[in-house]
Amino acid sequence: MTNAVVIDIKLDLPTGTIPPTQADQSLPAATSYTYPIASSSSSSSSSTAKPSNAEYYGAVRAAVAAAKEDMGAKLTAWRDAVGEGEKEKETRVVGVKKGKKVDEDMDDDEENEDDDE
């Protein structure tokens, strides 16, 4: 049975992106994170005893939950670091069309409301 959840990331960032910090350290754009699966909490006399499936998968769920929470925080920090540059890029590329799309969506919603009556 596996003893850790491993997540490998490699972010393709826009040029000039300043890495965010977490716990006073810069977050790497490409790295591997390991979240250990806790060993069985029940004490047994034999060090080679394997945990039951329920114990093992409970520990796996806990490791996955820890990974999800930690990666969520890290990726949110990256999203915020990249966000402003991406917003400016979208505005230059999309321009006025973005506003037009919102108006079209509103027209579709109004048509759907008329159908409901």
Side-chain angles (χ1 to χ4, degrees), residues 25-104:
Q25 294 181 342
S26 286
L27 292 176
T31 192
S32 195
Y33 295 101
T34 302
Y35 303 91
I37 297 172
S39 59
S40 175
S41 61
S42 62
S43 58
S44 63
S45 58
S46 173
S47 61
T48 59
K50 291 184 179 182
S52 70
N53 282 343
E55 290 172 331
Y56 175 74
Y57 288 111
V60 169
R61 278 192 291 281
V64 169
K68 179 182 174 185
E69 184 176 330
D70 186 50
M71 290 307 302
K74 286 175 174 35
L75 293 174
T76 297
W78 276 110
R79 181 204 60 202
D80 293 345
V82 172
E84 290 304 314
E86 289 295 304
K87 283 181 188 175
E88 290 173 15
K89 187 167 92 175
E90 285 179 12
T91 303
R92 284 182 297 207
V93 172
V94 176
V96 179
K97 291 181 184 177
K98 188 172 186 178
K100 184 177 179 186
K101 174 68 176 153
V102 171
D103 291 340
E104 289 173 0

